[in-house]
Amino acid sequence: MSPDLWSLIWDILQSKLFLELVFIPGIAFIALFTVIVVWAERKILARVMMRYGPLHVGKVAGILQTIADTLKLLFKEFIPPRRAHKAAYYLTPVFVASVPTLALTAIPFSKDWVVFPSDLGLLIAFAVFALSPLLAMITGWACNNRYTVIGSLRVIFQDVAAEIPLLLSALGVVMLSGSFNLVNIVESQRRLWFAFLQPLGALVFFIALIGEIERVPFDIPTAEQELVFGWKTEYGGILFGLLMFGEYITFAAGTLLFVTLYLGGYLGPSFLPPMAWILIKMGILVFLLILIRGAYPRLRIDQLLSIGWKWLIPLAILNVLVTMDLIYFYPWILGG
Amino acid sequence: MSVVVRTLKPLCLAFTHMFRRVFTIKYPFQAPVIEDDYRGRIQFFPERCISCGICESVCPTAAIKLVEVKELEGFSEVKKFKKPQLDFGRCCFCNFCVDYCPSEALKSTWLVELAEYEKSKLTYTPYKLSKQPERPKLLPKPKLVKLEISKVRGAGHAPLKKERGKK
Ligand code: SF4
Ligand code: SF4
C-alpha cells in the first residue's frame, strides 16, 4: 500500500468523528451500555425481590451473564412463521436496532462533542423517536400472528398517548432556551437546571418518556402475561437479541434526552470532565427507571390512555402557559 | 397530597428492599434443615410389620406392592412373609401408608434428595426401605441453613449452629 493510503487511514483514525462513532456515543458505548444495564437491571430487580440475580458467570456477581446470554442468542436457531412476510420479518430487527442510534447522534456529550451538530437537534431526536413505533407496527404485522398484531396496535395507541405530551412538555424547554439546538439548551441551564425552573414539565416529560420507551409500568405492547411477548413474540435467536438491543438503545437515548433537557446535560463542577457528568446523571436516571420497574405493576391500555389524554396533555399545555407567563413577567429568570 | 405519598411509597419500599437480606437458598451449596418428621422418603421397620397389606390397598398411586422376602435379603428373624416394596417413581408422598399402618411399621423421614440416574433404582425393596436415610454421596456437602421468620428482618434463613448439624 502506498504511504498516501496509510496517512489517510491514520487521519481517519485520528479524526474526531471516528472517535465519536467508535467510542462515545458510538458502538463501544452502546454495546457497553447494553451489557451493563441488562446486568444491572437483572441484579437490581433481583435485590428488590430479595433474590440474588445473576451470580455465577464471571465469578464476581455474574457480571458476564449478559455476554453469555448474547452468545447463546447468537447460536440459537430462529424459525420464521410460515405465513410471515419474510423480507419484513428479517429486516425489521436490523432497523429496530439501528434507528434509535440516530437519536444518539444529536445528543451533546460536551460543548463540542456532538456527532451531528445541528440547530434542530431536538427535532432530530424526536423524529427518530417517532420512527420506532412505525417499525414496531411493521414487525407486528409482518409476523402475521394475533399476539404480534395486538401488540403493534397497542404500540400505536400508546404512542399517541405518550408522544404528544412528550413534545408539548419539551416545548417549555425550547421556549426557555429559545433554541432547538441541544448545545444551546444545555448552555442556557448554566444558572439553573430546567428541572427546577419547570418541575411540572419535567414530570410530564418523565412519565411520557417511560411510555415512549415502553418500559414498565407502560410496557403494555410487550405485556408478557397477556400477549406472550407482544409484537416481539415470533422472534428468537439473534433477531430477538437485536430487538432487545434496540430497546436498550432507545432506553439510552431517552434517558440522555431527559438529562440533556432537564438535568443540565454535561454541566457540572469542573473536577470531572463534562462527559463524565452526563454519564453519571444518566446512570442515576437509569437506576431510577429500573427501580420503577421493580416497584409498579403494569397499567391497562385504557388506564394509560386516560393518563395520557386526561392528565399528561392538559398538564403539558398548562406548563406551556406557565412558561409563557414566566418569560413575559419575570424575564430575569432567563438571565436576560 | 395523599396521591403523591401513595405513588412514591412503592418506590421507597422497593429501594429499602434492595438492602434486605436475600431469601434465596443457594441450593446445592446450601440446604435448609428438614425436620425429622418431614414427608420425605419412607422408612420401613420390618420387625413391626404384620404383613396386613393395608398400605398396599390404601396407596393412591399404587406405589406399594407386597413382595416375598427371603432370609438372604438381610432379615434374619422375619421369615417368608410379604413385606412392602415401594416405588418412589410413583409415590406422591401423601403419607397415607404411614397413617394407616396398624403397627407403625412405616415412618416418613427427612430425606428428600431421592434423584437417581436409573428409574429402576427408585424401586426400594423391603430391605433397602428399612435402611436409615442417608444424604446421597453425589452431591457436594451443603452448608445447612435454618429458615426463620422475624418481625424485624422478615423471612429469611441463617446459618445453622454446630450442635444441630447431625444430618
Ligand atoms: S407396613 Fe404396615 S400396613 Fe403395610 S403390611 Fe406392614 S403392617 Fe401392614
Ligand atoms: S406416601 Fe402415599 S403414595 Fe407414597 S407409598 Fe405411601 S401411600 Fe403410596
Side-chain angles (χ1 to χ4, degrees):
Chain A
M1 281 197 266
S2 63
D4 277 0
L5 197 58
W6 280 116
S7 63
L8 186 67
I9 291 176
W10 183 239
D11 280 353
I12 290 175
L13 284 181
Q14 270 186 323
S15 69
K16 208 164 117 255
L17 189 65
F18 179 79
L19 285 181
E20 284 168 352
L21 287 182
V22 171
F23 296 108
I24 283 188
I27 300 157
F29 169 71
I30 293 170
L32 211 64
F33 175 86
T34 315
V35 166
I36 292 176
V37 167
V38 171
W39 170 80
E41 180 159 22
R42 292 177 62 175
K43 203 74 187 169
I44 292 171
L45 283 183
R47 291 318 302 253
V48 168
M49 299 166 188
M50 288 150 74
R51 296 183 283 115
Y52 281 106
L55 197 61
H56 294 291
V57 187
K59 296 274 190 270
V60 188
I63 187 84
L64 297 182
Q65 184 67 49
T66 321
I67 295 173
D69 285 348
T70 316
L71 280 178
K72 183 200 77 175
L73 285 179
L74 266 177
F75 291 112
K76 255 171 108 170
E77 182 189 12
F78 42 82
I79 305 162
R82 204 184 322 136
R83 289 177 304 168
H85 189 292
K86 289 290 182 321
Y89 176 85
Y90 285 117
L91 274 179
T92 40
V94 180
F95 284 110
V96 168
S98 55
V99 165
T101 54
L102 297 178
L104 291 176
T105 57
I107 309 259
F109 281 77
S110 77
K111 195 163 185 180
D112 45 6
W113 195 275
V114 199
V115 180
F116 184 63
S118 156
D119 279 345
L120 298 175
L122 186 61
L123 288 187
I124 291 174
F126 278 129
V128 172
F129 269 135
L131 263 183
S132 50
L134 186 71
L135 287 169
M137 194 191 79
I138 296 174
T139 318
W141 172 82
C143 291
N144 207 349
N145 170 306
R146 68 193 76 167
Y147 297 118
T148 59
V149 171
I150 295 175
S152 51
L153 283 178
R154 287 185 179 191
V155 170
I156 298 163
F157 276 128
Q158 174 160 343
D159 189 53
V160 175
E163 187 130 351
I164 295 173
L166 197 72
L167 287 164
L168 279 177
S169 51
L171 189 59
V173 171
V174 174
M175 285 159 74
L176 281 182
S177 67
S179 165
F180 279 106
N181 190 333
L182 285 172
V183 178
N184 287 355
I185 290 177
V186 173
E187 286 300 322
S188 53
Q189 296 180 60
R190 275 210 186 271
R191 286 175 66 240
L192 196 58
W193 291 355
F194 284 157
F196 300 119
L197 268 184
Q198 36 178 295
L200 190 62
L203 187 71
V204 171
F205 191 90
F206 187 67
I207 296 174
L209 187 71
I210 302 176
E212 180 69 25
I213 61 182
E214 288 173 27
R215 287 189 60 82
V216 185
F218 299 134
D219 67 331
I220 301 158
T222 46
E224 291 109 296
Q225 287 85 355
E226 327 160 17
L227 283 187
V228 190
F229 211 65
W231 55 276
K232 303 173 195 143
T233 300
E234 288 294 349
Y235 285 94
I238 196 58
L239 290 182
F240 175 72
L242 282 175
L243 290 181
M244 291 305 283
F245 193 53
E247 190 177 295
Y248 278 90
I249 300 168
T250 322
F251 188 17
T255 46
L256 279 174
L257 198 63
F258 185 82
V259 168
T260 308
L261 289 186
Y262 289 101
L263 301 182
Y266 53 78
L267 300 179
S270 60
F271 59 86
L272 281 178
M275 214 172 276
W277 280 113
I278 190 169
L279 292 182
I280 289 171
K281 289 170 190 171
M282 178 195 187
I284 294 171
L285 204 61
V286 165
F287 175 75
L288 185 65
L289 279 167
I290 294 175
L291 208 60
I292 285 176
R293 175 171 176 185
Y296 297 111
R298 179 184 310 119
L299 272 68
R300 283 197 317 268
I301 184 84
D302 61 317
Q303 289 170 327
L304 171 80
L305 291 185
S306 77
I307 288 177
W309 289 104
K310 291 185 194 151
W311 287 97
L312 293 186
I313 293 179
L315 282 179
I317 292 174
L318 181 71
N319 178 53
V320 170
L321 293 178
V322 170
T323 315
M324 275 177 176
D325 276 5
L326 222 63
I327 293 171
Y328 190 77
F329 290 111
Y330 309 97
W332 49 267
I333 279 181
L334 302 178
Chain B
M1 210 61 217
S2 77
V3 177
V4 177
V5 172
R6 262 185 302 162
T7 316
L8 290 185
K9 204 177 165 193
L11 208 60
C12 299
L13 211 63
F15 188 71
T16 53
H17 267 64
M18 280 183 61
F19 306 103
R20 290 247 188 136
R21 63 177 165 171
V22 173
F23 189 79
T24 315
I25 298 173
K26 301 179 196 164
Y27 169 58
F29 311 112
Q30 295 177 327
V33 172
I34 296 174
E35 298 303 331
D36 283 340
D37 47 0
Y38 196 78
R39 284 189 190 179
R41 132 121 137 79
I42 312 281
Q43 194 186 350
F44 174 55
F45 299 93
E47 63 284 348
R48 296 187 202 157
C49 177
I50 54 172
S51 305
C52 63
I54 289 180
C55 52
E56 182 182 19
S57 52
V58 86
C59 176
T61 60
I64 293 186
K65 216 169 88 188
L66 289 204
V67 294
E68 286 202 354
V69 291
K70 309 195 180 59
E71 283 181 63
L72 281 178
E73 268 197 321
F75 305 138
S76 48
E77 67 270 37
V78 284
K79 296 258 163 48
K80 276 202 165 184
F81 286 113
K82 288 194 163 183
K83 301 288 173 203
Q85 164 186 304
L86 212 162
D87 180 2
F88 280 107
R90 300 185 66 98
C91 176
C92 65
F93 303 96
C94 65
N95 260 21
F96 281 3
C97 50
V98 177
D99 292 344
Y100 276 90
C101 178
S103 56
E104 298 185 359
L106 295 172
K107 178 178 160 284
S108 58
T109 62
W110 54 271
L111 183 63
V112 290
E113 287 144 339
L114 289 166
E116 293 282 358
Y117 283 110
E118 287 158 43
K119 207 181 166 201
S120 60
K121 285 193 180 160
L122 284 173
T123 306
Y124 280 49
T125 60
Y127 177 59
K128 197 178 172 192
L129 204 60
S130 69
K131 282 201 280 189
Q132 278 288 331
E134 243 180 86
R135 199 177 281 279
K137 295 282 187 300
L138 288 171
L139 297 171
K141 199 160 171 51
K143 289 198 183 70
L144 291 179
V145 294
K146 189 170 167 287
L147 302 182
E148 60 176 29
I149 296 173
S150 86
K151 275 201 174 139
V152 189
R153 302 174 68 201
H157 55 79
L160 192 72
K161 302 281 182 309
K162 262 283 177 294
E163 72 268 30
R164 296 204 57 209
K166 58 184 174 180
K167 285 157 200 170

mmCIF file of all heavy atoms in Angstrom, chain B residues 44 48-55 66 84 100-103 105-106, ligand 1:
data_model
loop_
_atom_site.group_PDB
_atom_site.id
_atom_site.type_symbol
_atom_site.label_atom_id
_atom_site.label_comp_id
_atom_site.label_asym_id
_atom_site.label_seq_id
_atom_site.Cartn_x
_atom_site.Cartn_y
_atom_site.Cartn_z
ATOM 1 N N PHE B 44 -38.895 -48.180 56.660
ATOM 2 C CA PHE B 44 -39.685 -49.366 56.981
ATOM 3 C C PHE B 44 -39.017 -50.113 58.136
ATOM 4 O O PHE B 44 -37.801 -50.278 58.172
ATOM 5 C CB PHE B 44 -39.756 -50.250 55.729
ATOM 6 C CG PHE B 44 -40.424 -51.570 55.940
ATOM 7 C CD1 PHE B 44 -41.709 -51.634 56.473
ATOM 8 C CD2 PHE B 44 -39.780 -52.752 55.593
ATOM 9 C CE1 PHE B 44 -42.324 -52.858 56.658
ATOM 10 C CE2 PHE B 44 -40.401 -53.971 55.775
ATOM 11 C CZ PHE B 44 -41.677 -54.021 56.315
ATOM 12 N N ARG B 48 -41.703 -54.759 62.988
ATOM 13 C CA ARG B 48 -43.034 -54.386 63.467
ATOM 14 C C ARG B 48 -44.128 -54.809 62.487
ATOM 15 O O ARG B 48 -45.294 -54.861 62.851
ATOM 16 C CB ARG B 48 -43.126 -52.876 63.642
ATOM 17 C CG ARG B 48 -42.199 -52.329 64.706
ATOM 18 C CD ARG B 48 -42.506 -50.861 64.914
ATOM 19 N NE ARG B 48 -41.375 -50.160 65.498
ATOM 20 C CZ ARG B 48 -41.186 -48.855 65.388
ATOM 21 N NH1 ARG B 48 -42.063 -48.132 64.708
ATOM 22 N NH2 ARG B 48 -40.166 -48.287 65.956
ATOM 23 N N CYS B 49 -43.780 -55.037 61.239
ATOM 24 C CA CYS B 49 -44.781 -55.250 60.188
ATOM 25 C C CYS B 49 -45.513 -56.567 60.409
ATOM 26 O O CYS B 49 -44.906 -57.595 60.705
ATOM 27 C CB CYS B 49 -44.096 -55.259 58.833
ATOM 28 S SG CYS B 49 -45.218 -55.602 57.484
ATOM 29 N N ILE B 50 -46.867 -56.524 60.279
ATOM 30 C CA ILE B 50 -47.646 -57.752 60.418
ATOM 31 C C ILE B 50 -48.142 -58.242 59.062
ATOM 32 O O ILE B 50 -49.026 -59.090 58.986
ATOM 33 C CB ILE B 50 -48.823 -57.540 61.372
ATOM 34 C CG1 ILE B 50 -49.657 -56.349 60.901
ATOM 35 C CG2 ILE B 50 -48.343 -57.335 62.797
ATOM 36 C CD1 ILE B 50 -50.958 -56.174 61.661
ATOM 37 N N SER B 51 -47.632 -57.661 57.991
ATOM 38 C CA SER B 51 -47.972 -58.085 56.618
ATOM 39 C C SER B 51 -49.465 -58.049 56.340
ATOM 40 O O SER B 51 -50.007 -58.933 55.698
ATOM 41 C CB SER B 51 -47.428 -59.489 56.340
ATOM 42 O OG SER B 51 -46.052 -59.524 56.590
ATOM 43 N N CYS B 52 -50.137 -57.016 56.827
ATOM 44 C CA CYS B 52 -51.586 -56.967 56.647
ATOM 45 C C CYS B 52 -51.978 -56.471 55.266
ATOM 46 O O CYS B 52 -53.061 -56.732 54.791
ATOM 47 C CB CYS B 52 -52.206 -56.069 57.694
ATOM 48 S SG CYS B 52 -51.645 -54.369 57.559
ATOM 49 N N GLY B 53 -51.095 -55.724 54.601
ATOM 50 C CA GLY B 53 -51.396 -55.262 53.250
ATOM 51 C C GLY B 53 -52.238 -54.010 53.183
ATOM 52 O O GLY B 53 -52.678 -53.620 52.100
ATOM 53 N N ILE B 54 -52.485 -53.383 54.316
ATOM 54 C CA ILE B 54 -53.290 -52.154 54.289
ATOM 55 C C ILE B 54 -52.572 -51.065 53.498
ATOM 56 O O ILE B 54 -53.191 -50.343 52.709
ATOM 57 C CB ILE B 54 -53.581 -51.698 55.731
ATOM 58 C CG1 ILE B 54 -54.565 -52.667 56.381
ATOM 59 C CG2 ILE B 54 -54.171 -50.295 55.737
ATOM 60 C CD1 ILE B 54 -54.908 -52.312 57.798
ATOM 61 N N CYS B 55 -51.257 -50.965 53.698
ATOM 62 C CA CYS B 55 -50.507 -49.931 52.981
ATOM 63 C C CYS B 55 -50.660 -50.098 51.479
ATOM 64 O O CYS B 55 -50.796 -49.117 50.752
ATOM 65 C CB CYS B 55 -49.035 -49.962 53.383
ATOM 66 S SG CYS B 55 -48.262 -51.565 53.261
ATOM 67 N N LEU B 66 -46.766 -55.632 47.947
ATOM 68 C CA LEU B 66 -46.206 -56.571 48.932
ATOM 69 C C LEU B 66 -45.452 -57.655 48.180
ATOM 70 O O LEU B 66 -45.996 -58.283 47.266
ATOM 71 C CB LEU B 66 -47.311 -57.184 49.782
ATOM 72 C CG LEU B 66 -47.988 -56.260 50.792
ATOM 73 C CD1 LEU B 66 -48.597 -57.084 51.915
ATOM 74 C CD2 LEU B 66 -47.049 -55.239 51.366
ATOM 75 N N PRO B 84 -43.763 -54.793 52.293
ATOM 76 C CA PRO B 84 -43.978 -53.759 51.264
ATOM 77 C C PRO B 84 -42.699 -53.408 50.510
ATOM 78 O O PRO B 84 -41.632 -53.261 51.102
ATOM 79 C CB PRO B 84 -44.482 -52.556 52.068
ATOM 80 C CG PRO B 84 -44.011 -52.790 53.450
ATOM 81 C CD PRO B 84 -43.978 -54.269 53.645
ATOM 82 N N TYR B 100 -51.987 -45.144 57.911
ATOM 83 C CA TYR B 100 -52.896 -46.286 58.025
ATOM 84 C C TYR B 100 -52.244 -47.522 58.613
ATOM 85 O O TYR B 100 -52.937 -48.432 59.046
ATOM 86 C CB TYR B 100 -53.483 -46.619 56.649
ATOM 87 C CG TYR B 100 -54.672 -45.773 56.308
ATOM 88 C CD1 TYR B 100 -54.541 -44.571 55.653
ATOM 89 C CD2 TYR B 100 -55.949 -46.198 56.682
ATOM 90 C CE1 TYR B 100 -55.637 -43.797 55.361
ATOM 91 C CE2 TYR B 100 -57.049 -45.429 56.387
ATOM 92 C CZ TYR B 100 -56.893 -44.222 55.726
ATOM 93 O OH TYR B 100 -57.979 -43.471 55.453
ATOM 94 N N CYS B 101 -50.945 -47.582 58.602
ATOM 95 C CA CYS B 101 -50.273 -48.789 59.076
ATOM 96 C C CYS B 101 -50.664 -49.083 60.529
ATOM 97 O O CYS B 101 -50.482 -48.235 61.399
ATOM 98 C CB CYS B 101 -48.765 -48.630 58.953
ATOM 99 S SG CYS B 101 -47.873 -50.052 59.585
ATOM 100 N N PRO B 102 -51.263 -50.236 60.796
ATOM 101 C CA PRO B 102 -51.762 -50.505 62.153
ATOM 102 C C PRO B 102 -50.654 -50.706 63.172
ATOM 103 O O PRO B 102 -50.873 -50.497 64.366
ATOM 104 C CB PRO B 102 -52.584 -51.778 61.980
ATOM 105 C CG PRO B 102 -52.019 -52.423 60.772
ATOM 106 C CD PRO B 102 -51.552 -51.344 59.877
ATOM 107 N N SER B 103 -49.453 -51.104 62.729
ATOM 108 C CA SER B 103 -48.411 -51.380 63.716
ATOM 109 C C SER B 103 -47.256 -50.390 63.621
ATOM 110 O O SER B 103 -46.172 -50.662 64.106
ATOM 111 C CB SER B 103 -47.900 -52.808 63.517
ATOM 112 O OG SER B 103 -47.462 -52.942 62.186
ATOM 113 N N ALA B 105 -45.259 -49.562 61.276
ATOM 114 C CA ALA B 105 -44.046 -50.111 60.693
ATOM 115 C C ALA B 105 -43.471 -49.191 59.626
ATOM 116 O O ALA B 105 -42.355 -49.421 59.158
ATOM 117 C CB ALA B 105 -44.336 -51.475 60.075
ATOM 118 N N LEU B 106 -44.232 -48.206 59.216
ATOM 119 C CA LEU B 106 -43.719 -47.251 58.219
ATOM 120 C C LEU B 106 -43.601 -45.885 58.877
ATOM 121 O O LEU B 106 -44.406 -45.524 59.738
ATOM 122 C CB LEU B 106 -44.659 -47.164 57.013
ATOM 123 C CG LEU B 106 -44.793 -48.436 56.179
ATOM 124 C CD1 LEU B 106 -45.896 -48.261 55.151
ATOM 125 C CD2 LEU B 106 -43.500 -48.754 55.481
HETATM 126 S S1 SF4 C 1 -46.194 -51.955 56.568
HETATM 127 FE FE1 SF4 C 1 -47.912 -51.683 57.956
HETATM 128 S S2 SF4 C 1 -49.709 -51.594 56.611
HETATM 129 FE FE2 SF4 C 1 -48.025 -52.370 55.371
HETATM 130 S S3 SF4 C 1 -48.226 -54.573 55.504
HETATM 131 FE FE3 SF4 C 1 -46.812 -53.997 57.118
HETATM 132 S S4 SF4 C 1 -48.101 -53.691 58.912
HETATM 133 FE FE4 SF4 C 1 -49.494 -53.731 57.157
#
